Amino acid sequence: MSIPIAIIGTGIAGLSAAQALVEAGLDVQLFEKSRGSGGRMASKRSESGSLDLGAQYFTARDRRFAEAVQQWRARGWAAEWTPALYHSREGRLSPSPDEQVRWVGTPRMSSITRALLGALPVQFSCRITEVFRGDQHWHLQDADGNSHGPFSHAIIATPAPQATNLLAAAPKLASVAASVTMEPTWSVALSFAEPLDTPVEGCFVQDSPLDWLARTRSKPGRASSPDSWVLHASSEWSRHNLDLSRERVIEALHGAFAEMIGCAVPPPVESIAHRWLYARPAAAHQWGALSDGDLGLYACGDWCSSGRVEGAWLSGQETAKRLQAHLASHAWT
Ligand code: FAD
Ligand code: NAD
């Protein structure tokens, strides 16, 4: 067995890179600080069923990603979501149908990353704090003081602020990652015993603490009862209320929801709040990935690209492509 490639982060970017490298016959070893895979595509199991608290849906505009999504669909990992879409501006709710094809993981968003991870070797609950190069190979240090290695290459597939320290061995890459600002998002799920009396299934919101809401039962494969809604606060509201308690966030977003949805909103039977500190890059970039081929150090993630699921997946592919190209160009030396 060859010396594996270390991949830090099991979001869609890290798993996209892992899948491409494994398909090319290389060995990988993944590390993840959370208890499960998926990152911002993770779903939370609750008394009301699985809830997508992060990414809500994704679009596929790039041909390569569109092909991957078709494969996921054929395997039952993803399906088209066709919600009754609305928008809300200055407190006025209006239908806002469009032709855009939108996809979700089935039966939950995390089904895709779970399936991509498959049986690949991974260590969960393992926060990597340092990535360093010995004479020939890469080694990792985790927050519990354990060392891991050797690895032939290291791929950092975390949000930019968490990548900066891990890229210390390549100061130029570290400074690019440090230049990226990522905005937070407060996400709240509210579950109601009886269905709310509204046709809305998804809504883009302006002029409110909210910027998006979705009705879980309208997504393919989800339970229809209770009637669960996921509400996302805008970046601005989330930034200003970053340290508010979960209870206060639920109260504020429940209030904003009740004000805009145009029907009676009873007290929920379950409410959950989750704070995504690094939810989205403040601006899109066109780096594709960051790399120092001679060192063997790479970084990928949505922040290298469009700040969406598609961009993160493409960034993982780009990383794998660069790594393989570098290996091929040195195969004869
Ligand atoms: P992540 O998913 O963040 O994966 C990084 C992983 O690295 C995480 O699992 C993290 O735990 C792990 N990690 C971090 N540091 C360490 C460390 N030191 N050691 C080990 N592991 C570490 N996109 C869309 O296309 N459509 C949407 O509707 C949409 N809605 C969104 C709503 C919200 C609330 C949020 C937060 C995001 C949304 N996005 C959406 C964006 C989308 O989720 C992301 O672009 C995409 O999932 C990012 O994938 P990634 O692999 O780059 O990063
Ligand atoms: P998309 O094409 O559905 O949406 C892009 C943007 O176009 C929307 O944000 C919305 O402003 C507008 N829009 C699209 N359809 C509309 C309609 N029918 N009526 C009114 N406005 C409409 O999807 P995409 O380009 O794949 O973007 C993904 C979505 O993920 C975006 O909505 C983005 O805001 C969201 N996102 C959220 C976070 C977060 O942290 N909350 C992070 C990343 C992405």
Side-chain angles (χ1 to χ4, degrees):
M1 192 166 142
S2 61
I3 296 178
I5 298 163
I7 302 181
I8 301 157
T10 62
I12 189 74
L15 290 169
S16 162
Q19 192 197 26
L21 293 169
V22 168
E23 275 173 14
L26 297 163
D27 291 320
V28 299
Q29 166 75 50
L30 291 119
F31 296 89
E32 170 56 54
K33 74 176 171 59
S34 303
R35 279 176 298 167
S37 59
R40 281 169 277 161
M41 282 180 86
S43 310
K44 181 167 178 63
R45 282 173 206 273
S46 77
E47 286 169 18
S48 311
S50 255
L51 299 166
D52 303 332
L53 293 179
Q56 296 294 292
Y57 64 86
F58 50 91
T59 56
R61 302 193 169 104
D62 181 279
R63 181 189 48 78
R64 293 160 296 172
F65 185 56
E67 282 169 11
V69 174
Q70 285 303 338
Q71 286 175 13
W72 300 349
R73 186 187 60 84
R75 293 172 183 161
W77 308 348
E80 203 177 324
W81 180 43
T82 52
L85 267 184
Y86 282 69
H87 66 68
S88 170
R89 293 181 193 142
E90 294 174 347
R92 277 198 308 277
L93 191 61
S94 319
S96 192
D98 63 21
E99 300 297 312
Q100 179 66 56
V101 175
R102 296 181 174 84
W103 299 93
V104 294
T106 47
R108 54 188 73 89
M109 192 54 99
S110 60
S111 305
I112 296 168
T113 44
R114 176 70 62 93
L116 287 175
L117 178 64
L120 293 180
V122 59
Q123 260 184 270
F124 288 120
S125 305
C126 181
R127 186 165 67 84
I128 301 302
T129 51
E130 209 184 326
V131 178
F132 59 95
R133 207 181 144 90
D135 283 345
Q136 275 192 311
H137 296 119
W138 289 95
H139 299 266
L140 312 181
Q141 190 76 26
D142 72 28
D144 295 325
N146 304 309
S147 318
H148 307 270
F151 300 106
S152 61
H153 304 75
I155 299 176
I156 319 295
T158 70
Q162 293 162 323
T164 304
N165 282 345
L166 303 180
L167 288 169
K172 278 191 187 153
L173 305 193
S175 73
V176 175
S179 72
V180 176
T181 303
M182 293 196 73
E183 296 279 7
T185 295
W186 269 111
S187 177
V188 161
L190 303 177
S191 302
F192 302 99
E194 298 298 326
L196 298 190
D197 186 14
T198 171
V200 176
E201 293 178 329
C203 185
F204 297 99
V205 188
Q206 289 174 5
D207 314 309
S208 159
L210 296 172
D211 83 353
W212 166 256
L213 51 94
R215 192 173 208 166
T216 299
R217 60 196 259 158
S218 67
K219 294 184 176 180
R222 275 65 170 177
S224 58
S225 177
D227 187 14
S228 297
W229 294 72
V230 172
L231 321 176
H232 284 167
S234 66
S235 299
E236 190 187 3
W237 191 91
S238 301
R239 205 181 324 115
H240 286 129
N241 294 283
L242 205 57
D243 296 320
L244 216 57
S245 68
R246 286 188 160 73
E247 292 70 27
R248 295 283 306 281
V249 170
I250 289 168
E251 196 184 325
L253 299 190
H254 180 272
F257 176 60
E259 212 168 281
M260 62 141 294
I261 196 67
C263 67
V265 178
V269 288
E270 188 180 16
S271 49
I272 294 170
H274 182 84
R275 185 183 71 172
W276 299 97
L277 205 48
Y278 306 124
R280 57 168 133 203
H285 300 101
Q286 292 184 344
W287 303 318
L290 305 187
S291 53
D292 184 328
D294 290 334
L295 258 186
L297 187 61
Y298 298 80
C300 58
D302 64 338
W303 52 277
C304 291
S305 182
S306 68
R308 302 180 297 119
V309 169
E310 178 177 48
W313 183 87
L314 286 168
S315 180
Q317 295 287 301
E318 175 67 19
T319 300
K321 196 169 117 189
R322 288 189 198 180
L323 193 155
Q324 288 173 75
H326 195 268
L327 280 179
S329 69
H330 286 67
W332 304 105
T333 59

